[in-house]
Amino acid sequence: MGITAILQRLHLLRSEEWDPPTPLDHLLTDMQSWPFFVIPIHLHFLRLVITHLYHLFLFLRGHAFHPPSHISPIRVVCISDTHNYELDLARIPDGEGGLLIHAGDLTNDGSRESIQRQLDWLGEVRRRKGFERVLVVAGNHDGWLDEEGARQVLFGEGSKGDAELTWPEGVQYLDGMAGEGGEHGGVMTIEFEGRAKGRRLNVWGWGGVPRCGGPEHAFQYDRAAHPWTNRIPVETDILITHTPPRHHLDLGLGCAGLLAELWRVKPKLHVFGHVHWGAGREAVYYDECQRAYESLMARGADVPFPPAFPSIFSFPASVSGGYQLVSPNRQEPRSKMREKQRPTNLVNILMLPVYFGLALSLYFVKVFERVWMDSMDAARVIWHGITAVVWKWVMEGPGSNNGALLVNASVTYGNTGKVINPVQVVEL
């Protein structure tokens, strides 16, 4: 058993990237920079400190927004990643004519029968708790809903002709990329009755995720070729996805393309799941403090040492038998080839200090550049965070925030399989 396995067994290192990083993970993430890993350790420590400061500033700024005082609020109850589990109705608050959102991974096996049971349960929750509408996006474990991909992998080519799902009244599936769930590119406008009569919200959703497994996982896409650019309608009030945006409630596993789209659209509420350990909520203001924080986190702390050293024992690869091909019509014995190779190896040996010195110089130039950029971003986070807190409490006062909210609604607690995370409730 290696040292890594021992540290994982002792819970000093996380076992997989879907687990939350331990303090030792923060220090040892980039040991490939050996023997100069001391500097990356400091860069990781800087990110750890700035992350806690950034969230402290968010806490000190108070609630991202407050429901309007002159009109009735709309209650939005958010859940995700139920994985076949049907929550006790006592855990779900009364809908009061609002919305119940399920942000994907209704099931484990993705079968039609499992998804249908979840839909029937959601329909019962709507009737008994008084929700105006239940909105659902798929997750990577909901293979039946991915007709052109995971469904055929999991259940065979013939599954396309099988019986389709029965959607209970008031339970609606959102697939904005396919234009399903509403008009104008999938955006849905909901007009409310009851307590919030006369109010309306625009909702858009899709369940795609960055590639996280084999073809049995549904709605996957490559990070480098993400589909988000200019896809979410700008009038969207509530965005529902399965994947988190990058750097927010995601353990670093979220989608950078989705984050860029959030900056363009700036929805009031974004509900997602997928990363169980990221469950919770976080305010966003799309301001300079957030921009600097995301810039720092996106850069990464590793400064790998240049590996491009020539091998002093290398020989040309084009050797056949006892001869090396010198030209199409001429061959020389291997002994002559070796004689010609020796000066090259000798030059490599003599030039090794030069190679090393050049590589070391380039490394420290890169280190200086990285330390400078990281320090500037960290300073911007601190400066803009402090000024935002002071401005809010000195100049504007309580209840003055006009931010937005990100909600990781996963009810499954990490990788334990226990559905014990609290249900998230937002008043709009």
Side-chain angles (χ1 to χ4, degrees), residues 57-382:
F57 293 142
L58 293 180
F59 172 77
L60 294 176
R61 294 173 77 169
H63 295 288
F65 55 80
H66 293 270
S69 58
H70 60 285
I71 56 177
S72 297
I74 299 172
R75 173 166 289 180
V76 182
V77 177
C78 311
I79 60 175
S80 180
D81 297 83
T82 49
H83 293 287
N84 291 332
Y85 189 85
E86 298 178 8
L87 276 68
D88 191 292
L89 289 177
R91 292 182 56 189
I92 301 176
D94 291 336
E96 300 183 358
L99 300 176
L100 173 62
I101 291 175
H102 195 302
D105 274 2
L106 295 94
T107 71
N108 282 321
D109 61 6
S111 67
R112 185 182 70 85
E113 293 75 17
S114 296
I115 294 177
Q116 187 65 64
R117 283 194 293 271
Q118 283 280 292
L119 296 180
D120 293 341
W121 167 70
L122 290 172
E124 181 184 2
V125 172
R126 175 186 173 270
R127 291 191 301 272
R128 296 181 61 176
K129 289 293 185 175
F131 288 98
E132 173 74 21
R133 201 81 61 91
V134 178
L135 304 178
V136 179
V137 299
N140 57 295
H141 286 285
D142 301 325
W144 186 265
L145 294 170
D146 186 7
E147 297 183 17
E148 302 301 324
R151 182 197 286 196
Q152 298 183 43
V153 173
L154 291 169
F155 309 108
E157 294 286 341
S159 62
K160 291 189 67 174
D162 290 351
E164 292 301 321
L165 296 164
T166 301
W167 292 82
E169 181 181 0
V171 180
Q172 192 149 4
Y173 175 55
L174 300 183
D175 185 2
M177 291 295 185
E180 296 181 11
E183 300 177 353
H184 310 298
V187 72
M188 174 192 294
T189 299
I190 302 176
E191 298 184 356
F192 291 87
E193 300 292 336
R195 186 180 74 160
K197 186 173 182 178
R199 295 193 62 189
R200 62 173 60 187
L201 289 172
N202 293 322
V203 185
W204 190 93
W206 182 57
V209 297
R211 193 167 305 282
C212 60
E216 71 277 5
H217 288 267
F219 299 104
Q220 296 184 101
Y221 57 85
D222 293 327
R223 290 182 182 275
H226 68 81
W228 293 106
T229 304
N230 296 324
R231 295 304 295 267
I232 302 173
V234 293
E235 64 269 25
T236 300
D237 300 307
I238 299 178
L239 172 65
I240 311 170
T241 65
H242 187 55
T243 182
R246 190 71 174 223
H247 313 308
H248 299 278
L249 306 172
D250 72 325
L251 299 184
L253 299 170
C255 180
L258 175 58
L259 176 63
E261 189 73 345
L262 287 184
W263 275 88
R264 184 182 70 87
V265 178
K266 298 180 177 67
K268 199 68 174 178
L269 175 63
H270 178 199
V271 185
F272 50 87
H274 191 45
V275 181
H276 300 173
W277 285 112
R281 57 176 65 193
E282 181 179 312
V284 285
Y285 296 92
Y286 302 107
D287 57 6
E288 291 305 312
C289 182
Q290 179 182 336
R291 191 185 301 277
Y293 169 73
E294 292 169 354
S295 174
L296 175 65
M297 301 307 294
R299 195 172 298 116
D302 59 308
V303 190
F305 189 75
F309 287 101
S311 171
I312 62 176
F313 300 109
S314 60
F315 289 92
S318 55
V319 175
S320 177
Y323 296 87
Q324 180 193 24
L325 294 179
V326 178
S327 69
N329 300 313
R330 179 185 172 199
Q331 292 182 332
E332 291 189 3
R334 181 184 289 272
S335 59
K336 290 187 177 182
M337 179 271 292
R338 286 178 176 170
E339 289 177 2
K340 290 187 176 184
Q341 186 67 28
R342 285 192 190 106
T344 303
N345 290 335
L346 181 59
V347 168
N348 285 347
I349 293 173
L350 295 176
M351 291 295 293
L352 190 59
V354 177
Y355 292 139
F356 184 84
L358 179 60
L360 191 60
S361 300
L362 293 174
Y363 175 77
F364 280 111
V365 168
K366 191 68 176 177
V367 165
F368 177 80
E369 178 186 19
R370 180 63 59 83
V371 169
W372 172 256
M373 295 170 67
D374 284 4
S375 299
M376 292 301 296
D377 277 338
R380 280 193 286 266
V381 170
I382 295 171

